[in-house]
Amino acid sequence: MPFTVAIVGRPNVGKSTLFNRLVGRRVAIVHDRPGVTRDRRQGEGRIADLEFTVIDTAGLEESDAESLEGRMRSQTEQAVVDADVAVMLIDARAGVTPADEYFAAMLRRTGRPVVLAANKCEGSAADAGLFDSFSLGLGEPIALSAEHGLGMDDLYQALRPFEADPVAASDPDDDEDAEVTEDAVEDDPDRPLQLAIVGRPNTGKSTLVNRLIGEDRMLTGPEPGVTRDAIPVDWEFDGRRVRLVDTAGLRRKARVSDAVEKLSALDTLRAIDLAEVVVLMLDADAVLDKQGLTIAARVIEEGRALVIAVNKWDAATDRQESLDRLRDRLETSLTQVRGVPTVTISAKTGQRIDILMNTVFQVHEIWNKRVSTSALNQWLDDTTQRHPPPLSKQKRRIKIRYVTQAKARPPTFVAFTSRPTDLPDSYHRYLLNDLRETFGFDGVPLRLFVRKPDNPYDRGD
């Protein structure tokens, strides 16, 4: 089993930059503003042949336990408890600050092993801070530059002792403390279901994730916009593996001027693109407003399966009016997808959470469904006999020769005819709607492409 490394330190010392360096890609949001990271993010880190789990954490700050900063600190402290070793990062250019001294003392009290690293050591301006860091009492510091990749060999040597036996390495003197391509993805039954939770700010996305996994893994609170990064969490539901992704709330683009919020929005959109099923969280008293429709449309355009969760149902003021409004908005504004499943829940109390997850698996199964070519062409014969295609511009009947399913995820079909450009949009929609109804593709996006057969002897006669 790989050991676990928690990256800790005060705000703006480069923790997320080091995290991105170790996992080999830019996944954590990085900005010059202090305190951008709030939730702890986990990834698979590597230095040469050394592999480990790495946790990016919020900056340590002295604050009241009930404040947002205090809740962030609790998340960081929990990460230290869960880790085999903590890497405490300081900014060598800024030197050792009182906050560094305070939190170094806190780390010493935990009894967990700590590797001290002085970041931003790419120039001589960092020398004084590097030497001052000896005063923290955490051993010899490692000089590194997370941004430029300097000092990774020294970090490798410092972490290597934890590889063979992380439990023994964490406290050797105290036994009591020892405790790909899309086709390949489609054919892999053991791959976890990729589930993204999205919505406007303060709709209860992080509360839902915490309720599902049964622990306070995500930072929550009454303040809108608490979540900034799209945070993945591996989990199991009834024996099925799931990768949950909690995301930052999406506001209307015109209202977003803050640079960090723009980065958070891009992170959320990337999470939608990589998901298989997306749960759109709505507030029971603000059901599917314009921004909610925009998010839903984005999910459908990307070909993801969509489930709508109407949260705070236990506190809804007019439940029937909310349901009627939701049904009306879905029928009039999301006409490209019929039968989007809707589940009323309370993330706070856990009401109907199991029903939500069962719905997620059901729509995921539909999203993966394949239909045989023989069944499709029998359907095509029945459908075109019931409602024949119209005449072409040359006053000839358009004949659709056959249809096949090109792929699933989302279900995608190709129909072949000698005059694809003459087939009107209305008949295309008729075929798509009948295909959805006949084979039970409600609630997932369908794609139907009309192509000309690849036949050199076909002149369109």
Side-chain angles (χ1 to χ4, degrees):
M1 293 292 291
F3 62 98
T4 302
V5 179
I7 305 172
V8 299
R10 62 179 178 82
N12 214 32
V13 293
K15 297 183 296 299
S16 293
T17 303
L18 179 58
F19 177 87
N20 288 342
R21 171 71 58 181
L22 294 174
V23 300
R25 52 199 172 97
R26 190 183 178 92
V27 289
I29 293 177
V30 176
H31 196 273
D32 290 340
R33 182 187 308 170
V36 169
T37 302
R38 288 176 172 172
D39 288 290
R40 63 187 193 266
R41 176 192 284 274
Q42 186 168 302
E44 298 308 313
R46 174 194 290 267
I47 307 175
D49 61 344
L50 184 64
E51 297 181 354
F52 47 88
T53 299
V54 58
I55 305 174
D56 184 24
T57 66
L60 291 162
E61 296 186 74
E62 293 184 71
S63 53
D64 181 79
E66 298 303 316
S67 66
L68 176 60
E69 292 77 11
R71 301 197 303 273
M72 290 162 59
R73 190 183 69 232
S74 296
Q75 289 280 323
T76 298
E77 290 171 349
Q78 185 60 49
V80 173
V81 170
D82 295 341
D84 297 300
V85 56
V87 173
M88 180 173 172
L89 217 57
I90 70 162
D91 182 347
R93 297 194 169 203
V96 174
T97 68
D100 292 325
E101 295 173 346
Y102 176 86
F103 293 113
M106 186 197 78
L107 286 172
R108 288 199 302 271
R109 288 195 297 270
T110 66
R112 309 302 288 173
V114 180
V115 173
L116 178 62
N119 193 26
K120 308 181 186 180
C121 283
E122 59 271 21
S124 58
D127 289 348
L130 174 63
F131 298 140
D132 285 348
S133 62
F134 279 91
S135 65
L136 295 174
L138 296 175
E140 182 176 352
I142 296 171
L144 57 82
S145 171
E147 183 173 356
H148 297 89
L150 304 176
M152 292 298 111
D153 51 346
D154 292 331
L155 185 59
Y156 172 93
Q157 295 298 334
L159 296 179
R160 190 62 190 253
F162 299 93
E163 179 186 37
D165 186 358
V167 171
S170 64
D171 197 346
D173 297 324
D174 189 352
D175 292 337
E176 294 183 2
D177 287 347
E179 303 198 272
V180 212
T181 64
E182 188 165 328
D183 289 338
V185 167
E186 192 174 334
D187 295 334
D188 183 4
D190 296 325
R191 185 177 184 272
L193 187 155
Q194 306 290 314
L195 175 62
I197 313 296
V198 304
R200 295 187 60 184
N202 216 29
T203 52
K205 300 180 293 298
S206 297
T207 303
L208 173 62
V209 173
N210 286 344
R211 173 63 64 174
L212 287 171
I213 65 178
E215 61 175 284
D216 291 335
R217 175 66 176 77
M218 300 300 170
L219 194 64
T220 62
E223 308 90 346
V226 169
T227 301
R228 283 177 170 164
D229 287 275
I231 304 294
V233 180
D234 291 322
W235 172 64
E236 282 195 8
F237 178 82
D238 283 350
R240 292 283 304 274
R241 295 173 61 207
V242 179
R243 168 155 283 198
L244 282 169
V245 182
D246 184 26
T247 65
L250 288 173
R251 294 197 300 159
R252 285 194 326 201
K253 188 179 293 186
R255 294 187 178 181
V256 179
S257 58
D258 180 77
V260 172
E261 188 173 356
K262 287 181 180 179
L263 292 172
S264 296
L266 290 173
D267 214 24
T268 297
L269 295 176
R270 185 164 57 248
I272 291 174
D273 297 347
L274 296 174
E276 297 171 345
V277 182
V278 176
V279 171
L280 173 57
M281 295 280 286
L282 304 176
D283 192 306
D285 289 328
V287 171
L288 214 57
D289 55 9
K290 186 175 180 179
Q291 178 61 7
L293 282 170
T294 300
I295 299 171
R298 171 65 184 243
V299 173
I300 299 305
E301 287 168 8
E302 290 300 321
R304 308 302 109 183
L306 176 64
V307 177
I308 293 177
V310 185
N311 193 27
K312 308 177 185 179
W313 195 245
D314 53 328
T317 54
D318 191 334
R319 297 184 176 184
Q320 191 57 49
E321 195 271 338
S322 294
L323 287 177
D324 291 343
R325 186 167 70 249
L326 175 60
R327 192 176 300 113
D328 178 68
R329 298 301 294 273
L330 287 174
E331 291 177 358
T332 58
S333 302
L334 280 181
T335 55
Q336 66 270 45
V337 177
R338 289 195 328 211
V340 175
T342 301
V343 183
T344 56
I345 67 167
S346 170
K348 185 177 180 180
T349 66
Q351 176 185 350
R352 295 170 62 84
I353 296 298
D354 287 353
I355 294 176
L356 173 65
M357 286 306 303
N358 287 328
T359 303
V360 165
F361 285 116
Q362 289 167 10
V363 77
H364 183 255
E365 186 175 345
I366 296 172
W367 189 66
N368 280 278
K369 183 188 293 187
R370 284 190 174 274
V371 181
S372 68
T373 300
S374 59
L376 284 170
N377 285 287
Q378 182 61 56
W379 162 82
L380 181 64
D381 288 343
D382 296 341
T383 304
T384 53
Q385 286 181 22
R386 186 168 63 250
H387 184 182
L391 298 177
S392 68
K393 295 176 182 178
Q394 292 78 24
K395 304 302 181 183
R396 296 181 180 180
R397 179 72 63 187
I398 299 173
K399 180 173 178 59
I400 302 175
R401 300 178 183 277
Y402 67 98
V403 64
T404 187
Q405 183 170 0
K407 61 187 278 297
R409 308 166 64 89
T412 302
F413 303 87
V414 182
F416 293 91
T417 176
S418 58
R419 295 183 175 85
T421 57
D422 290 349
L423 195 70
D425 290 343
S426 58
Y427 198 79
H428 185 276
R429 286 194 299 271
Y430 161 71
L431 291 175
L432 203 57
N433 289 335
D434 201 84
L435 185 67
R436 182 186 300 278
E437 184 175 341
T438 301
F439 294 106
F441 283 110
D442 281 345
V444 301
L446 285 188
R447 292 171 178 168
L448 175 63
F449 298 101
V450 182
R451 297 283 185 263
K452 189 174 183 177
D454 187 14
N455 183 353
Y457 300 101
D458 188 351
R459 302 180 181 273
D461 298 329

